[in-house]
Amino acid sequence: MVPPLITHLYTADPSAHVFNGKIYVYPSHDRESDIEFNDNGDQYDMNDYHVFSTPSIDPPALVTDHGVALRVEDVPWASKQLWAPDAAVRDGVYYLYFPARDKDGIFRIGVARADKPEGPFKADPDYIPGSYSIDPAVLVDDVAVGDDATPAYLYFGGLWGGQLQCYQGPDGRGDGNAETYDASWLGPKEPSGEGAAAMGPRVVRLNPADMGTLAEPVRTIQILAPETGKPIAADDHDRRFFEAAWMHKRNGLYYFSYSTGDTHYLCYATGTSPYGPFTYRGRMLEPVVGWTTHHSVVEFEGRWYLFHHDSSLSGGVSHLRSVKVKEIFYNAAGDIVSEPEA
Ligand code: FUB
């Protein structure tokens, strides 16, 4: 079994980026809690973030813990549960995007800023207006939109504890915005039944002037079944989006990857636009020890790596996880494969 990358803390949900020639990892910082395990994820009661870096990944060496980068008590709008973060850089400013519950218990997405990739980060006074749910992931793209030369897209969403199912909108198709919040969907519920399409993750371009407001209405991403060309069915739990959005781009193709939650797969789908639609393409990781699975994909020195987590270091305790990394490969058709093509 691949050893954990970090062993002195429990870490999860690794978002990896190459900044200044080094790999920086932005994970959740898991901690012990006496909160009883439930399907709402209350036991995932994290209260700060650490940032890690390494100059070498093969093998991983000299992983530096840069210490606490942000604490929940320093986020004016947040009450608890600092879940899976991501980071981005633009014009020399480093941004940490993170979900937390607001003072009313509703998950929102916030941003914090720093002048170095390792922080410390200072949170904006309020969450991103119009944001909701969990698991932000940001792609800074190289295809201009108007005068925005490097548009930054925020992907987000997560079912059940992540509350995405509360934003189905008036027509029930999952294209709701923040104002359609329906608390009656809180808990382990999601659309189901004959003809029901799976809920989609969300995407929105960030305002280039501040990287902390939305430049447009939030859109729902469609993930299509290749055999029908139609959205994946709500009851197709082996392939439907649950949480843990990640976007990477290779050879001009957008790879949207995600966790299927209760079936514990990491899957990916591809498309030609950052907004989708994306066509389901396959799995990139089988179930790991523990309930959750979450990841990022990064290119470093011409090779591609999958950062992910499992609960092996804690002996299988689902909310005490550890970040791992493995190399991934692509075949000539662009499928992600675990061995290099001969
Ligand atoms: O770490 C808390 C939550 O668990 C994340 O936000 C989800 O993606 C899952 O990994």
Side-chain angles (χ1 to χ4, degrees):
M1 193 183 278
V2 183
L5 198 57
I6 298 155
T7 52
H8 66 291
L9 296 175
Y10 290 116
T11 53
D13 310 323
S15 291
H17 291 274
V18 178
F19 295 136
N20 307 329
K22 282 198 268 189
I23 293 191
Y24 283 83
V25 184
Y26 300 82
S28 300
H29 173 197
D30 286 354
R31 62 171 184 154
E32 305 268 3
S33 121
D34 52 14
I35 300 168
E36 208 170 303
F37 184 96
N38 61 34
D39 283 336
N40 210 35
D42 293 345
Q43 66 277 21
Y44 297 86
D45 188 32
M46 299 85 101
N47 65 358
D48 65 21
Y49 294 114
H50 286 230
V51 177
F52 301 84
S53 69
T54 177
S56 159
I57 206 65
D58 189 22
L62 302 171
V63 176
T64 301
D65 176 356
H66 294 279
V68 175
L70 184 69
R71 292 185 170 86
V72 73
E73 57 261 39
D74 297 327
V75 181
W77 57 269
S79 60
K80 61 178 182 176
Q81 289 181 297
L82 292 182
W83 281 12
D86 191 20
V89 64
R90 189 167 178 152
D91 300 330
V93 180
Y94 292 85
Y95 298 91
L96 184 72
Y97 294 90
F98 59 96
R101 286 185 193 257
D102 69 12
K103 308 284 187 198
D104 296 321
I106 298 176
F107 267 111
R108 307 286 185 182
I109 294 168
V111 61
R113 298 155 197 270
D115 57 9
K116 300 192 296 286
E118 66 269 32
F121 289 87
K122 182 165 172 39
D124 283 10
D126 209 347
Y127 55 78
I128 298 174
S131 71
Y132 56 95
S133 197
I134 60 165
D135 289 1
V138 173
L139 173 78
V140 179
D141 203 5
D142 51 8
V143 178
V145 175
D147 56 8
D148 186 357
T150 53
Y153 298 95
L154 172 68
Y155 298 85
F156 65 96
L159 291 171
W160 302 1
Q163 304 176 343
L164 183 64
Q165 69 279 5
C166 298
Y167 300 90
Q168 297 188 44
D171 58 7
R173 285 207 313 265
D175 50 1
N177 266 309
E179 63 274 15
T180 70
Y181 177 73
D182 178 354
S184 71
W185 278 88
L186 284 174
K189 304 173 188 171
E190 61 184 292
S192 173
E194 185 75 35
M199 289 195 65
R202 307 297 154 97
V203 59
V204 62
R205 189 165 61 89
L206 291 166
N207 193 331
D210 58 39
M211 292 289 277
T213 58
L214 308 183
E216 58 187 7
V218 172
R219 305 183 197 195
T220 295
I221 291 174
Q222 291 206 318
I223 302 174
L224 308 176
E227 69 278 10
T228 61
K230 299 214 168 90
I232 284 181
D235 288 331
D236 186 351
H237 284 211
D238 281 356
R239 297 191 296 178
R240 66 94 170 79
F241 171 82
F242 187 90
E243 62 185 3
W246 186 258
M247 172 59 74
H248 74 279
K249 197 174 173 186
R250 180 179 177 272
N251 293 343
L253 192 63
Y254 295 86
Y255 286 73
F256 179 79
S257 47
Y258 58 96
S259 161
T260 60
D262 57 348
T263 49
H264 317 291
Y265 300 116
L266 284 181
C267 296
Y268 70 105
T270 58
T272 55
S273 159
Y275 294 109
F278 302 106
T279 301
Y280 179 88
R281 206 133 165 185
R283 294 179 192 160
M284 53 200 295
L285 194 69
E286 295 296 311
V288 295
V289 177
W291 200 97
T292 67
T293 187
H294 192 124
H295 69 299
S296 59
V297 177
V298 68
E299 183 181 19
F300 183 59
E301 297 177 345
R303 293 160 73 176
W304 289 87
Y305 297 93
L306 172 69
F307 284 74
H308 63 100
H309 70 230
D310 70 18
S311 296
S312 55
L313 188 66
S314 67
V317 182
S318 280
H319 65 281
L320 298 177
R321 301 163 291 180
S322 304
V323 167
K324 297 187 161 184
V325 61
K326 63 183 270 203
E327 188 169 4
I328 55 171
F329 305 90
Y330 298 80
N331 65 18
D335 302 311
I336 296 175
V337 291
S338 54
E339 301 289 336
E341 208 169 44

